[in-house]
Amino acid sequence: MNATIATRDARSLAIPAQQDSASSGERKTNPSLDAARAEGRRFIRRIFVWTAIFSVFVNLLMLTGPLFMLQVYDRVLSSGSLPTLAALFGLVSALFLFTGVLDLVRGRLMSRAGAKIESLFDQRLFRGSLQDTANADGKGLRALESIRQTLSGNGPLALFDLPWSPLFFAVIFLFHWSMGTLALAAGLLVVGLAIINNILSRTPLQNASEAKQSALTLENGFARRAEVVRALGMGQAATERLGRSRRDALHLHMLGHERTAGFSVTIKTLRLFFQSAMLALGAALAIGQEITPGMMIAASILMGRALAPIDQLVSQWPVMLRGLESWRTLRSLLDQTAPSNNARVRLPRPRGILDLSEVTVAPPGQSLSVIKNVSFSLEPGMALGVIGKSASGKSSLARALVGVWPAADGDIRLDGATLDHYEPDQLGAWLGYLPQDVALFAGTVGENIARFGVIDDMAVIDAAGMADAHEMILGLPDGYDTQVGDGGVNLSGGQRQRIALARALYKDPALIVLDEPNANLDLEGERAVIAAIERMKANGQTVVVIAHRPSAIAACDTLLVMEKGVKVDFGPREDVLRNVARNAGSLRQRLKIIGSSR
């Protein structure tokens, strides 16, 4: 496990300075409502200014080719001077090299802009998705990736080049008014087609993006539950369902793509056509000696350059639309996760005094309450068993007690402070939580028990001993350094449950909430859980046990009975069992048997 500790210590060096100061107990007031967004705006503004400056020189240097053609046809060929041709060619070569360097630099600037946005907000958006379970689908990180890809593409550079198209039209007008009129008419036609493309393709492309995300969500859901799909013979049905979803997404994608592709090909064809038309018109004017042959060639090249940004924008339109939608998503999520301007006072470690006053809870994003007006109090050293039928609100109460679901009404107080008075990570360090889905993560046993923080060896071993899991862990192939796999796939159900219990007990939290802690355990494991609860009580910790099986409440001295989200009864275990259980006698006898067999 020493290697794991070294890795964790090394990773800790990358933690931002404001986190280090918070961990040391110092308190600093945030000087602005959202310093990261302000920094991002400043950085992007600088990048865009420099890109615009480089675009000035890049587009001016785009006149190099037409002017070179003009000089070759009008001077070199007429004079037959090879030294003049060599001098012009050397100058043009240097200018083209300079153009390429500037174009490369501005492309890298835009790539840096996308990377800066992602580095500024990726951790914040991920943290926001953890705090808001209704938005825990990773859309913020996907939006960042889409923005980065958009800024790294050709679309934004085409936007910087587009304002220079009138310059090229103006130069063509200087050659001859009729050539300028043809160029302007071509430009207006191409712009009109681009606008029509935007109108016709926007909705199909947006619908395709939504359908693709829906299909991806369905695919991930089936993949995460592959064992259930195989065991229940759902493979064919799942494949067909996913196939329908993907076909719908593909149909919408092809509809939007084909429309955009059609306009892109049309504009590209028109650009080539108008270049040839310009060449033909220039030839007619040259024959009439109204312009020189060099002007004819230069005008054709300038026509292509003037229309090129529009051509690029239309071909990149699906990417630009995704980037625009991702930008809107990013702004919305950043508004939701804006840091508070007021730094919180760091409260001391709670003793475990838990008070609920008329608490009502609804799942995030929903208005229907699953817990209604529940009130009770617990003192340190007490163990509360929460019992009731399925869908009575027991697990919802557990989520509310650890702050995962906020109370819609009423107060949940720990040592007199509501849960939102504590810093989230600070509160989490003082809570122990074992959910129904034990939710182990890819990493070692030690990392999971230590909650992926810097590992304290003795605290990890103490927590495992408290959960009676130390010997079991030592029996694993690599002991505490055994890789558990995503979701604990490399472990049995009982091993996952015991390790998750040890994680809940890491560093002796003041309040421990256990949701069906014996769900996957045998009789020996159940006895270990009861012994652990007894030790928690002896340590002065407050314990809440959500129970379906009677053995889970064997060490609980107080019971809460829930029904349809309402508190039905609360009090000493024997009194509550006498009031609500028809088979109270046999249940008490079973609890005595389990207790005496420890």
Side-chain angles (χ1 to χ4, degrees), residues 184-330:
L184 185 60
L188 292 175
L189 176 60
V190 171
V191 168
L193 290 175
I195 294 173
I196 296 173
N197 170 66
N198 175 30
I199 296 173
L200 295 181
S201 63
R202 177 184 291 269
T203 299
L205 288 173
Q206 289 179 344
N207 292 339
S209 178
E210 294 173 359
K212 179 181 178 181
Q213 180 55 41
S214 177
L216 181 61
T217 300
L218 185 64
E219 179 182 354
N220 291 338
F222 283 136
R224 285 195 304 267
R225 299 165 181 86
E227 292 182 2
V228 176
V229 172
R230 290 197 302 268
L232 297 180
M234 296 168 55
Q236 184 64 30
T239 302
E240 293 177 356
R241 173 68 179 277
L242 179 60
R244 289 194 299 270
S245 181
R246 291 182 65 87
R247 281 194 297 271
D248 291 342
L250 183 61
H251 171 72
L252 292 171
H253 170 75
M254 292 303 298
L255 179 62
H257 176 74
E258 287 175 356
R259 288 182 180 178
T260 299
F263 279 97
S264 179
V265 170
T266 300
I267 290 174
K268 183 181 294 185
T269 303
L270 286 175
R271 178 168 62 86
L272 296 174
F273 167 76
F274 280 116
Q275 282 186 266
S276 298
M278 182 66 69
L279 193 63
L281 177 60
L285 294 173
I287 292 173
Q289 296 186 350
E290 296 187 46
I291 63 172
T292 64
M295 292 180 181
M296 171 188 70
I297 300 298
S300 177
I301 297 174
L302 287 171
M303 166 74 81
R305 179 57 195 170
L307 299 181
I310 304 174
D311 186 6
Q312 289 182 351
L313 282 175
V314 173
S315 64
Q316 290 289 310
W317 192 244
V319 178
M320 298 287 285
L321 272 183
R322 286 196 298 269
L324 181 61
E325 186 63 30
S326 297
W327 186 261
R328 292 171 180 164
T329 300
L330 176 63

Side-chain angles (χ1 to χ4, degrees), residues 7 12 35 50 157 182 190 210 237 267 270 273 279 396 414 439 453 480 513 547 573 587:
T7 302
S12 67
W50 279 107
L157 293 180
L182 175 62
V190 171
E210 294 173 359
I267 290 174
L270 286 175
F273 167 76
L279 193 63
S396 299
L414 187 60
Y480 284 89
V513 180
R573 186 183 70 187
L587 182 58

Side-chain angles (χ1 to χ4, degrees), residues 3-20:
T4 304
I5 297 171
T7 302
R8 286 293 167 191
D9 289 337
R11 291 178 182 174
S12 67
L13 296 176
I15 298 175
Q18 62 266 28
Q19 295 183 14
D20 292 338

